[in-house]
Amino acid sequence: MRIAVRQWPARTLGATAAALLLAGYPVGAAHATAQHGRDMNITAHFAAIVSADPDTVTCGGFDVTAQGSAAGAPIGGNGTWQDQEKACTLSLPGQYDINGTAVIGAGAGNTITLTYHLTAPLTETPVVHPSGTYLVTGGTGAYAYATGGGRMNAVVDLKDTSHVSASLHGTLY
C-alpha cells in the first residue's frame, strides 16, 4: 500500500502534464514542440546593399546585406527580413555561389534564424534567379529551438537591388 501511495503523485503529475500538452499549454519542452511539423512558406521583399568582396583570389564576388519585409506561414503578414551573404563568382565556375544567413522577424520577440546556399548561372542579363536550400538553425521566443529547412528561390535584378525578392518553402520543426 505504501508503494501505491508514493506512485500516485508521480502518476498524477504525469497525467496533468499530458493533459496540459494536449490542451496546448507550454509545459517544459512542449514550448519548443509547438512549432513542430508546420509548413514554412515565406516570401520576403527587401533592399540589398552590395559591395565588392575583398577576397579577389577565391571569391571574386560581392558582400551583401539586406533588410525588408516578410510574410507567410508561420509568421503571418507583418514580418521582417534581414540577411548577410557572400556571392562568389570564382568558387563554382560559371555560377554565383551564394552563402548567407537570415533572420526572419515574426513580432513580439519571435524570430527564425536560418542559413542558406544558393547558386545561379553567371549570365549577361541583369536578372538573376538564385535557387538552393535553407536550414533553420534556431531563433528566439516561440522559435528558440526551431529546426527545419527546404527550398529557397530568389529574384535579383543586378541593376535594381532595392527590389529583391526571395521565397522559402519547407517545414519548420
Side-chain angles (χ1 to χ4, degrees):
M1 186 65 135
R2 196 171 197 186
I3 293 173
V5 171
R6 286 185 183 166
Q7 289 178 348
W8 184 83
R11 288 182 184 156
T12 302
L13 183 60
T16 302
L20 289 171
L21 284 173
L22 290 173
Y25 291 97
V27 178
H31 181 71
T33 63
Q35 303 301 325
H36 278 234
R38 295 183 77 183
D39 285 340
M40 188 165 166
N41 293 301
I42 295 174
T43 300
H45 299 280
F46 48 91
I49 299 171
V50 181
S51 60
D53 186 89
D55 178 1
T56 58
V57 176
T58 61
C59 179
F62 310 97
D63 290 332
V64 181
T65 58
Q67 213 171 313
S69 63
I75 64 165
N78 295 313
T80 59
W81 174 274
Q82 294 180 337
D83 76 51
Q84 289 187 303
E85 68 183 39
K86 184 179 288 236
C88 297
T89 61
L90 300 176
S91 52
L92 287 175
Q95 299 276 318
Y96 285 102
D97 182 19
I98 305 163
N99 291 287
T101 60
V103 177
I104 302 169
N110 300 309
T111 64
I112 299 169
T113 305
L114 57 96
T115 62
Y116 56 89
H117 179 246
L118 311 174
T119 60
L122 291 171
T123 66
E124 297 296 321
T125 63
V127 179
V128 181
H129 297 272
S131 64
T133 58
Y134 72 90
L135 293 173
V136 175
T137 58
T140 61
Y143 306 107
Y145 302 101
T147 61
R151 299 283 309 159
M152 181 173 173
N153 299 299
V155 178
V156 181
D157 183 337
L158 298 174
K159 292 184 178 182
D160 181 13
T161 58
S162 62
H163 296 95
V164 179
S165 65
S167 61
L168 293 83
H169 303 284
T171 305
L172 184 68
Y173 295 100

